[in-house]
Amino acid sequence: MRRKLILVDDDKISLLITKKVIQSIITDDFFSEILIFDQPGLCLDQMAAISFQEEKICILLDLNMPLISGWDFLEKLSLIDPKENIPVVILTSSVSELDRERSKGYSRVKDFFSKPMSEALVKRIYQICMEME
Amino acid sequence: MSLSGIPLNSRVKSLESLSTLVFEALDMPIFILSIKEGLDFVTIYSSEKAPTELLPESIWNQKARKCNDYIHCIEDLRTLNNSLGELDHLLEVGILFCSRMKLVSNRKEHLGHLYLMDYSVREIGKNQTQLMEAIRDLSTKILEGEKEGRKFFERRDRAINLNKLVLEASKQIGLGGLCINLPKEEIYWYKSNNSILNLPDGFDLEFSEFIDESISKKHKKYPLLVSLIEQVRIGLSKLKIRFHNNYVVIENETKSYFSFSLERIGDLIYVVFYENTKLIELDSELTRIESLLLAEESIQQVAGWTLTLNNQEMAWTENVRKLLGLAPDTLPSWDIFEAKLSLCNKCLPSELELMVRGPKGKFEKVVDLVLDSGEVRHLSISASLSKNSKGEEIIFGSLRDNTQALTTENELSFLVDKHQKIKSYIDHLLFTDIFFLLRLTMEGTVKSVNNYYSKTFLGPYPQSLESYHPMSDIVEDDHLLCQQTFEKALANPGSNNRVFLRKKTFDKKEIYTQWDFKVTLNEYGQPEEILCIGIDISEIQIKRKELRELIDLVSKQNTQLIEYNSILSHNIRNHVANLKGLANLIDLSKDPKDIFQFWDLIKEAIHLLDQRIIAINHLAKQKSKHTQEKSQITLNTILANSQAFFTDELQLTNAQWYVISEPELLQLKMNSVLERVLIQLISNAIKFRSPKRELIIKIKIILKPDLLQISIQDNGIGMDLKKNKKISSDYLEFNHLEPNSKGLGIFLAKHLLESIGGELNYVSRIDCGTKAILTFFNYEKKTNPSG
């Protein structure tokens, strides 16, 4: 079964940083693919075609995005993946406790991290992915 | 008393003079006119004796004629020498005082003596005034009646008339009688008896009836007669000596009391009786009063004493011993009395005589007497000077125990003081302008209101409470609440039931009041009245309202701060996080190419951060600037400027621009800040235009009765408002300043609008478009809504 990591953030620099940090820590073959979306809508469109039997997907999601915010994204994702096969980890520039508390309302959200991407977060993602299996 | 008024040697020239003399002198009811003939007394008139005593006509005429000629009073019997034995005799028959007059003819021939005798029956004394009047009337009739009146002695019928008159007089004074001749078995019945004993006018008692013991059956309809006869019989059985007074009280059905006396003279027995009811009643009343006085004396602890000055002899009542704390067998003694009083403070008994003889004529002191037991007795002593019958000087004095009164007075004073304090406290409560007090009957009618209530709700010239209904000044919306609280109070007597009501004062001012309704209970635990106590809380309400507004304002500002902080956080921290991440990457990276790339990215991130900070500074300047900006321009100019601002963008996107408004509305003057708001909103409309169609921007101005609305509608991509409840514009951007700034523009627009009294709302639908509505409330009240 293939593992896929999807990064959703409107900030391209942030996307680049996140991907680079993950790649620098986790071996190349752990994730079969790391996908990057700076438009959440596009990501959701592609998610609809995913076969959960064949792929294990984990999403790293930003909250503060135009058009479709991170919260909107979570709502729409629940329509695509009602069984919550896809775990989500929030990675945001927000340091608001309100946002952190709000995120706990989504069982799909496994953890909440503030930017920038860190080694600890990479390990947490690794752990989550391992738990999925 | 008696005949003391008769002058010793006055001359009586006529019967008129004699009559006057008798009238003036007599103060006793029964008298006898008698003439001494030789050794015998001949009675010519007796107020209580039967006419059978009258002399034969011939003798009477003879005597009377002589009397009528000339009468001369010679001697007073009081000066009579007892050696003659006449006085003893008179006293024996009960005549205590009498006067003897010598009757002398005009030729100075001695005719005999006229004796005026007094039987001195004390018990009849109460009626003496009536008798005197009767005698006076009799005399007057004799003297002023017929011409021959002066000669009535000459003819027997005149004498009989006289007798009739005397009987009449007897009747008038309630005096009755009978004469019994036992040997002859004769009885003479006074006619005056009939009216006294409630008998028919012509009634005459026969001797046979008198002795017949069955009289009670025969005359049972005359109970007074029956009672009298029975009593007379009893009296007769006891009558053993010649003269015997016997007083019997007859209590009949009508509660009349009679006294009667029996007298035996020779074979004749005279019975005299008179109604004594009033006297008996008076006597019993006097007895009652006397007992009351005694009781009073005992209760009031009053004592009386006398001191005869010439011999220092003292007399006192029983209470003197008690009050002075003397032994029960102590005999009255001035020395003891004086010694006791000397022990009192402020009392010098030696001054007593001096003071009673002084200008005030009395001695009055209030003193404290310490008894042997140590008890202090407060005594009030008073005395005054008088004379006894012997002409000796006597001091009459009294003692009164004031101890109890003083204690009572102290207690009373304490109670009065306490009462005053309570009253003043209640007055303070009732008459200060602190709370309203309303008392209602259980039926809901007003019993009373306090001054403050009256002043506030009834005004300076209040109507009658009877016509006042307390619900009348409660604001109508609160009637139901008031009624419900009332019912709650009635259902739970004794409990406090609070309610807040708006009431109108007498001058129609609405005030907020807080009330407590309570049904009070009487001593038997029954509901008695409804007590309503209220206070004016208008000021508190105003303060509360102000506080609420302040809290709202603080809350709003707090929300704004959070929003602002959130925006700042997103806009600055985002770049900072990127810089931090890039720095980490440089550390991790081993490939120089990567490191160079990261450095470029760092430069870009720094540039973006710089631009963001510039944008934020600009916003801050805008925010402070608009609060001072007061310039006014027409709405038309604002719209034209806004359109001109986006000339290039509108042309580039081939956008259509419409303004829908009444022409006069375009001439309204608005605050120039509105232009900045419109620019922000139009900027968003351009940025979020739909790629599927050409942009249309419609600006519509509507004037409603109480508000002015300006809407900016586009046909862009729209947004899901359910997911964007906060107009913090998660996706709307202030593109003109910085392409990637997040929500700063809409944030500024919103607050700029609020600062000029407007409000920003959105209506949006995804893939259809968005309508931003700017509303200015209370437009009509303002000449310039945005001013």
Side-chain angles (χ1 to χ4, degrees):
Chain A
M1 189 177 288
R2 292 190 300 169
R3 296 188 199 98
K4 275 189 182 176
L5 181 65
I6 298 174
L7 311 180
V8 185
D9 195 335
D10 66 318
D11 187 338
K12 288 172 185 170
I13 295 176
S14 178
L15 280 174
L16 178 68
I17 293 166
T18 306
K19 191 180 176 183
K20 287 284 183 188
V21 169
I22 292 167
Q23 284 174 339
S24 68
I25 295 170
I26 297 179
T27 51
D28 290 345
D29 57 345
F30 187 77
F31 291 113
S32 60
E33 199 172 5
I34 297 176
L35 298 172
I36 291 173
F37 291 94
D38 62 353
Q39 290 182 38
L42 285 176
C43 175
L44 287 169
D45 289 345
Q46 289 203 12
M47 294 287 284
I50 290 173
S51 166
F52 296 111
Q53 280 74 33
E54 294 172 7
E55 292 176 328
K56 290 291 176 189
I57 297 170
C58 181
I59 297 176
L60 211 54
L61 179 68
D62 185 21
L63 291 176
N64 191 26
M65 296 181 289
L67 293 179
I68 298 175
S69 68
W71 308 115
D72 296 336
F73 185 91
L74 285 168
E75 294 294 326
K76 289 179 190 294
L77 185 61
S78 65
L79 299 174
I80 299 164
D81 174 30
K83 292 182 180 174
E84 300 191 351
N85 291 310
I86 305 171
V88 172
V89 174
I90 303 288
L91 178 65
T92 176
S93 58
S94 168
V95 286
S96 165
E97 275 302 311
L98 291 174
D99 285 342
R100 185 180 287 275
E101 285 302 308
R102 188 178 173 186
S103 72
K104 289 177 182 171
Y106 297 90
S107 55
R108 185 195 301 277
V109 176
K110 302 299 176 190
D111 219 329
F112 187 101
F113 285 88
S114 290
K115 288 181 185 176
M117 187 65 183
S118 63
E119 199 175 335
L121 173 57
V122 177
K123 286 177 181 172
R124 178 71 182 121
I125 291 168
Y126 179 83
Q127 188 189 357
I128 291 166
C129 290
M130 292 306 286
E131 283 169 5
M132 287 167 65
E133 294 168 11
Chain B
M1 184 173 174
S2 82
L3 305 175
S4 56
I6 295 181
L8 292 177
N9 285 303
S10 60
R11 289 171 67 87
V12 184
K13 292 184 177 178
S14 64
L15 188 61
E16 182 183 355
S17 306
L18 174 64
S19 172
T20 307
L21 181 72
V22 170
F23 171 72
E24 288 175 352
L26 279 177
D27 56 1
M28 297 310 291
I30 297 171
F31 66 100
I32 295 167
L33 291 177
S34 65
I35 295 171
K36 194 175 182 184
E37 286 288 306
L39 292 173
D40 297 325
F41 286 100
V42 178
T43 304
I44 60 166
Y45 174 70
S46 165
S47 64
E48 62 175 31
K49 292 216 160 64
T52 50
E53 288 293 299
L54 289 174
L55 297 169
E57 186 183 359
S58 55
I59 300 170
W60 181 248
N61 283 343
Q62 188 189 346
K63 304 282 183 194
R65 202 178 297 118
K66 289 175 183 173
C67 287
N68 195 33
D69 289 341
Y70 200 71
I71 299 170
H72 185 207
C73 180
I74 295 173
E75 192 177 1
D76 186 348
L77 199 62
R78 283 173 294 183
T79 61
L80 199 67
N81 190 344
N82 199 28
S83 59
L84 296 172
E86 291 172 350
L87 184 60
D88 288 340
H89 170 68
L90 290 170
L91 291 172
E92 188 187 332
V93 295
I95 299 170
L96 298 179
F97 295 91
C98 64
S99 181
R100 185 179 70 171
M101 286 180 282
K102 193 176 184 179
L103 298 177
V104 184
S105 74
N106 51 3
R107 282 173 290 185
K108 297 192 178 179
E109 293 170 340
H110 177 68
L111 297 174
H113 292 94
L114 172 65
Y115 288 89
L116 298 174
M117 288 174 265
D118 177 9
Y119 273 70
S120 299
V121 183
R122 288 168 186 267
E123 288 72 13
I124 307 174
K126 298 291 175 190
N127 293 323
Q128 68 187 48
T129 308
Q130 285 175 298
L131 180 69
M132 295 295 278
E133 285 173 358
I135 292 167
R136 184 178 56 197
D137 292 346
L138 168 67
S139 308
T140 309
K141 279 180 182 176
I142 291 168
L143 298 169
E144 294 179 357
E146 302 165 41
K147 290 181 179 176
E148 295 86 358
R150 292 168 187 267
K151 301 176 180 176
F152 72 97
F153 286 113
E154 294 173 6
R155 292 165 55 184
R156 192 184 173 202
D157 55 341
R158 294 292 179 218
I160 292 169
N161 283 343
L162 174 65
N163 185 51
K164 280 183 181 174
L165 287 167
V166 171
L167 286 179
E168 185 62 30
S170 301
K171 183 177 140 187
Q172 281 181 20
I173 62 169
L175 193 68
L178 59 145
C179 178
I180 305 162
N181 192 328
L182 287 171
K184 290 183 180 176
E185 294 189 345
E186 285 175 359
I187 189 165
Y188 180 77
W189 183 255
Y190 284 22
K191 301 296 180 199
S192 59
N193 295 349
N194 296 345
S195 62
I196 296 164
L197 299 174
N198 295 330
L199 298 168
D201 281 347
F203 183 84
D204 202 353
L205 189 71
E206 298 295 328
F207 186 79
S208 57
E209 288 176 318
F210 175 71
I211 57 166
D212 184 2
E213 294 201 354
S214 63
I215 186 172
S216 56
K217 288 180 185 172
K218 187 181 174 185
H219 295 297
K220 64 181 177 186
K221 58 182 175 181
Y222 307 127
L224 282 176
L225 174 71
V226 173
S227 299
L228 177 74
I229 298 301
E230 283 173 357
Q231 293 297 327
V232 171
R233 281 207 208 99
I234 295 166
L236 281 175
S237 65
K238 293 178 179 174
L239 188 65
K240 292 174 180 171
I241 59 169
R242 184 170 171 268
F243 181 87
H244 186 78
N245 280 329
N246 201 351
Y247 304 99
V248 180
V249 175
I250 301 169
E251 188 178 350
N252 54 43
E253 288 173 357
T254 55
K255 304 265 181 195
S256 297
Y257 298 86
F258 289 86
S259 288
F260 71 98
S261 63
L262 290 86
E263 183 190 1
R264 183 196 290 272
I265 301 175
D267 292 337
L268 296 176
I269 296 166
Y270 296 97
V271 179
V272 177
F273 66 88
Y274 56 93
E275 189 173 348
N276 210 16
T277 312
K278 285 186 179 171
L279 181 67
I280 296 293
E281 285 173 353
L282 190 66
D283 187 51
S284 60
E285 181 67 11
L286 281 170
T287 309
R288 195 177 68 82
I289 290 169
E290 191 179 9
S291 64
L292 279 174
L293 284 170
L294 281 171
E296 188 74 3
E297 189 191 72
S298 145
I299 292 166
Q300 291 196 349
Q301 295 290 298
V302 178
W305 54 271
T306 60
L307 174 69
T308 311
L309 286 174
N310 64 351
N311 57 8
Q312 298 285 291
E313 193 177 305
M314 192 157 193
W316 63 39
T317 61
E318 180 62 27
N319 271 353
V320 171
R321 280 201 299 269
K322 289 181 186 171
L323 295 183
L324 296 181
L326 299 171
D329 53 353
T330 310
L331 293 172
S333 155
W334 171 247
D335 292 339
I336 296 170
F337 191 78
E338 188 183 23
K340 270 287 173 189
L341 292 190
S342 303
L343 296 174
C344 302
N345 63 332
K346 297 183 279 182
C347 180
L348 295 169
S350 53
E351 289 179 354
L352 201 144
E353 189 178 339
L354 202 66
M355 288 190 73
V356 295
R357 290 185 191 283
K360 284 188 178 176
K362 57 185 177 183
F363 173 91
E364 280 180 334
K365 288 271 182 188
V366 178
V367 300
D368 292 339
L369 173 66
V370 183
L371 302 180
D372 295 341
S373 61
E375 179 195 342
V376 177
R377 186 162 282 169
H378 302 278
L379 292 176
S380 166
I381 307 168
S382 65
S384 60
L385 190 65
S386 186
K387 283 185 180 179
N388 66 7
S389 56
K390 296 175 187 172
E392 296 166 333
E393 284 184 321
I394 287 185
I395 293 176
F396 285 95
S398 68
L399 290 176
R400 183 186 292 272
D401 183 2
N402 286 337
T403 312
Q404 188 61 36
L406 207 66
T407 311
T408 311
E409 195 180 334
N410 286 340
E411 284 170 2
L412 195 67
S413 167
F414 174 74
L415 286 173
V416 166
D417 192 40
K418 196 174 168 187
H419 171 75
Q420 282 296 337
K421 279 180 185 168
I422 292 169
K423 189 173 176 297
S424 118
Y425 177 68
I426 291 170
D427 283 353
H428 172 74
L429 287 179
L430 291 182
F431 295 103
T432 51
D433 294 351
I434 294 173
F435 63 85
F436 307 119
L437 184 68
L438 174 70
R439 290 168 64 224
L440 302 172
T441 64
M442 293 305 290
E443 289 73 37
T445 53
V446 179
K447 277 172 91 172
S448 67
V449 297
N450 73 344
N451 206 28
Y452 186 38
Y453 189 102
S454 178
K455 224 164 56 179
T456 309
F457 300 110
L458 305 177
Y461 307 105
Q463 54 181 314
S464 155
L465 280 180
E466 284 174 15
S467 58
Y468 170 72
H469 196 285
M471 286 285 263
S472 62
D473 44 32
I474 294 173
V475 172
E476 204 170 336
D477 290 351
D478 292 350
H479 276 198
L480 183 65
L481 187 63
C482 178
Q483 191 65 34
Q484 285 171 345
T485 314
F486 225 85
E487 283 164 8
K488 200 174 155 193
L490 290 173
N492 303 288
S495 68
N496 257 344
N497 298 274
R498 180 157 292 183
V499 64
F500 296 92
L501 302 170
R502 285 167 291 169
K503 273 174 86 80
K504 284 189 175 164
T505 60
F506 75 95
D507 52 356
K508 306 297 173 201
K509 208 167 77 183
E510 191 175 301
I511 61 167
Y512 289 89
T513 55
Q514 173 192 299
W515 290 88
D516 283 313
F517 295 166
K518 183 177 185 177
V519 173
T520 60
L521 305 173
N522 64 15
E523 56 195 303
Y524 308 108
Q526 300 296 317
E528 191 173 35
E529 64 176 25
I530 303 158
L531 190 66
C532 309
I533 297 176
I535 53 169
D536 182 357
I537 54 163
S538 300
E539 206 171 322
I540 297 169
Q541 283 296 102
I542 291 165
K543 294 283 177 201
R544 194 178 286 173
K545 199 178 165 188
E546 285 174 2
L547 189 65
R548 200 178 296 127
E549 284 172 358
L550 201 63
I551 289 169
D552 287 348
L553 183 66
V554 170
S555 173
K556 198 173 166 185
Q557 285 181 345
N558 199 32
T559 309
Q560 287 176 359
L561 263 175
I562 290 168
E563 285 176 6
Y564 191 66
N565 188 41
S566 173
I567 289 168
L568 280 183
S569 170
H570 285 307
N571 281 280
I572 295 174
R573 198 174 181 286
N574 185 42
H575 296 291
V576 172
N578 282 347
L579 286 170
K580 210 173 164 184
L582 285 168
N584 284 341
L585 276 178
I586 288 171
D587 286 345
L588 290 171
S589 185
K590 291 167 185 170
D591 187 344
K593 282 184 184 174
D594 285 346
I595 293 169
F596 280 123
Q597 188 194 357
F598 295 149
W599 272 113
D600 286 342
L601 287 173
I602 284 174
K603 286 174 190 169
E604 191 183 337
I606 289 168
H607 173 71
L608 290 173
L609 178 62
D610 184 43
Q611 276 205 327
R612 191 64 52 89
I613 290 167
I614 290 167
I616 289 167
N617 277 340
H618 178 78
L619 283 172
K621 280 179 191 168
Q622 292 292 315
K623 195 168 163 55
S624 61
K625 191 181 173 187
H626 81 266
T627 54
Q628 297 163 5
E629 201 151 3
K630 297 281 180 187
S631 61
Q632 302 280 309
I633 48 175
T634 63
L635 193 52
N636 195 31
T637 310
I638 290 170
L639 291 171
N641 288 347
S642 304
Q643 189 181 9
F645 193 87
F646 293 105
T647 308
D648 294 344
E649 286 86 346
L650 293 172
Q651 274 184 356
L652 197 67
T653 57
N654 205 19
Q656 296 175 51
W657 175 276
Y658 298 104
V659 174
I660 304 161
S661 169
E662 297 287 334
E664 63 266 30
L665 293 180
L666 293 172
Q667 298 309 312
L668 289 172
K669 284 197 170 180
M670 306 292 283
N671 193 308
S672 59
V673 170
L674 184 62
E675 186 181 308
R676 297 172 189 279
V677 177
L678 284 177
I679 288 170
Q680 309 286 352
L681 297 173
I682 293 163
S683 163
N684 278 326
I686 293 169
K687 180 166 176 58
F688 297 105
R689 65 187 184 274
S690 173
K692 299 173 186 173
R693 50 191 174 263
E694 287 185 344
L695 176 64
I696 301 171
I697 296 172
K698 282 185 191 171
I699 297 171
K700 195 173 178 181
I701 302 155
I702 306 165
L703 181 63
K704 292 185 178 177
D706 57 347
L707 50 87
L708 176 72
Q709 273 189 345
I710 302 168
S711 61
I712 298 99
Q713 187 178 354
D714 65 52
N715 58 345
I717 58 172
M719 59 178 169
D720 187 353
L721 286 176
K722 288 178 188 170
K723 302 288 184 295
N724 293 283
K725 286 177 185 169
K726 284 195 291 177
I727 308 298
S728 58
S729 66
D730 283 343
Y731 75 104
L732 296 174
E733 292 187 6
F734 190 26
N735 192 21
H736 183 72
L737 288 168
E738 202 274 319
N740 290 320
S741 62
K742 297 169 189 264
L744 285 171
I746 199 69
F747 174 82
L748 180 64
K750 189 180 163 210
H751 292 287
L752 282 176
L753 193 61
E754 283 174 0
S755 72
I756 57 168
E759 191 180 287
L760 178 61
N761 287 292
Y762 283 93
V763 179
S764 185
R765 198 171 165 189
I766 289 176
D767 209 29
C768 284
T770 301
K771 187 178 184 180
I773 304 164
L774 285 65
T775 310
F776 297 95
F777 291 103
N778 301 323
Y779 176 76
E780 275 191 341
K781 291 179 185 173
K782 293 179 181 176
T783 52
N784 191 346
S786 58

